[in-house]
Amino acid sequence: MTVPSSVANPRPLALDVVSVQSQVVYGRVGNNVAVPTLEALALSVAAVPTVVFSNTPHYPTMHGGALPTEWFEGYLQDLSARGALCTLRAILMGYLGNPQQADALARWARARLKERADLRVVIDPVIGDHDHGVYVEPGLVDAYRRDLLPLADGLTPNGFELAHLTGLAVNDVESVVVAARTLLTGRMQWVAVTSAAPGTWTKDEIQVVLVTRTQAEVIAHPRIDATPKGTGDLFCASLTGHWLGGLGLAEAAVQACCHVVQALRRTEQAQCAELLLPMAGNRSSDKTTTRECVSKSTYRIFPCKQPLPI
């Protein structure tokens, strides 16, 4: 019996996105959020864990830690060895366990960029927040600046992280724009700052500031009375997925905001301790939430008055 060549030599699984970030056994952060979000947008995803924890650190107990560097590097190299990256469109980077992982990831990503000039790199530089301060190894801030940011097309820091990356005050929208524009060098096309300038928010809204080389847009979306972990991971994955799907950057950011609001509403209604993602297939609810979010979006333009660094 002759075995068909298609069976004898099956094709590798084609990947659209490699998502490199945390994994938890219990909870909805890191790849536990990014993978289902990207797959819901019809993207094929490989999840590379940087750390594996039982849960996030705000619980009384937590087990796990950073993956050994040898394992982490092996995961990345084996993706290449399996021939799965021929159609790769984006690398999504989130929570890293230590500076050694940043170095290994940067080397791997540089090699992929040499292979595919159109590859997009989006980084969520997880460093900390206003509530808890810095919660990663201090050396990671320098590692982001030195090794990873030069590879990025887009960045999704929160306001706290933007301040740490730039060393600049970010107390109002104008200063957020100024700080973000210092990062628009080399490949970097845009910075989407979440939870931006909280001192300027109205009672019922939160701001995202999207900064490009030519303008800045303020997207105000409803504030929901729920504070689960993982909303930044959800925003970054959703923005990346919609951007890859062909939406313009501003519209992709608006859709990401709507996705976060929808998840928070579901979480609040269920009184759940962990983020509940929107239910697949509930299209009518999706459209209603999107219209509500878009109707609440406000845009203010901040022209670039000075030449940006190259």
Side-chain angles (χ1 to χ4, degrees):
M1 178 177 178
T2 302
V3 179
S5 59
S6 60
V7 175
N9 299 292
R11 297 175 182 174
L13 172 66
L15 296 172
D16 296 305
V17 183
V18 172
S19 178
V20 185
Q21 49 189 312
S22 63
Q23 178 182 327
V24 292
V25 175
Y26 169 80
R28 292 293 183 269
V29 297
N31 271 331
N32 294 53
V33 166
V35 172
T37 298
L38 292 166
E39 289 182 339
L41 294 170
L43 294 166
S44 176
V45 189
V48 178
T50 55
V51 298
V52 177
F53 292 132
S54 56
N55 44 254
T56 51
H58 71 288
Y59 287 103
T61 62
M62 183 180 77
H63 296 85
L67 274 294
T69 303
E70 180 183 359
W71 290 13
F72 180 68
E73 287 186 296
Y75 296 158
L76 295 171
Q77 295 303 330
D78 284 348
L79 279 174
S80 303
R82 299 293 81 77
L85 305 181
C86 295
T87 60
L88 187 66
R89 300 172 62 195
I91 301 171
L92 178 59
M93 304 180 188
Y95 185 98
L96 300 176
N98 51 53
Q100 293 74 29
Q101 288 184 348
D103 177 64
L105 180 56
R107 284 187 276 107
W108 180 81
R110 280 194 291 269
R112 304 291 76 74
L113 287 167
K114 288 181 180 179
E115 295 171 352
R116 302 186 66 84
D118 60 346
L119 185 64
R120 298 179 183 183
V121 178
V122 179
I123 300 178
D124 182 7
V126 181
I127 295 169
D129 55 40
H130 291 291
D131 294 335
H132 301 94
V134 174
Y135 47 67
V136 297
E137 290 190 21
L140 268 173
V141 179
D142 289 335
Y144 275 119
R145 291 195 196 106
R146 180 184 64 248
D147 300 324
L148 295 177
L149 264 59
L151 307 177
D153 295 277
L155 198 67
T156 64
N158 60 36
F160 178 88
E161 290 159 345
L162 178 64
H164 274 72
L165 289 171
T166 63
L168 298 174
V170 290
N171 299 321
D172 52 30
V173 171
E174 289 76 8
S175 61
V176 167
V177 174
V178 169
R181 281 194 167 136
T182 67
L183 300 176
L184 295 179
T185 61
R187 287 176 53 89
M188 190 83 72
Q189 301 176 36
W190 53 268
V191 180
V193 186
T194 60
S195 300
T200 67
W201 298 347
T202 65
K203 179 181 178 181
D204 299 321
E205 291 183 339
I206 293 176
Q207 292 179 156
V208 172
V209 179
L210 176 63
V211 184
T212 68
R213 292 175 179 269
T214 57
Q215 67 184 42
E217 299 175 88
V218 178
I219 305 168
H221 65 79
R223 184 189 302 192
I224 309 301
D225 189 21
T227 58
K229 307 298 181 185
T231 53
D233 305 323
L234 176 59
F235 174 84
C236 185
S238 182
L239 189 160
T240 301
H242 284 293
W243 191 36
L244 289 175
L247 290 185
L249 188 59
E251 182 61 23
V254 168
Q255 290 298 321
C257 289
C258 294
H259 203 158
V260 170
V261 169
Q262 187 181 17
L264 286 173
R265 282 185 171 146
R266 186 169 180 231
T267 304
E268 179 189 34
Q269 290 167 1
Q271 298 183 348
C272 187
E274 293 290 335
L275 186 65
L276 296 180
L277 300 181
M279 290 183 291
N282 192 2
R283 299 302 180 191
S284 61
S285 176
D286 290 355
K287 292 176 181 177
T288 300
T289 304
T290 299
R291 285 197 299 270
E292 291 174 359
C293 291
V294 171
S295 69
K296 287 179 173 289
S297 296
T298 62
Y299 297 88
R300 287 182 280 160
I301 308 303
F302 294 81
C304 185
K305 298 179 181 179
Q306 298 179 346
L308 286 167
I310 302 301

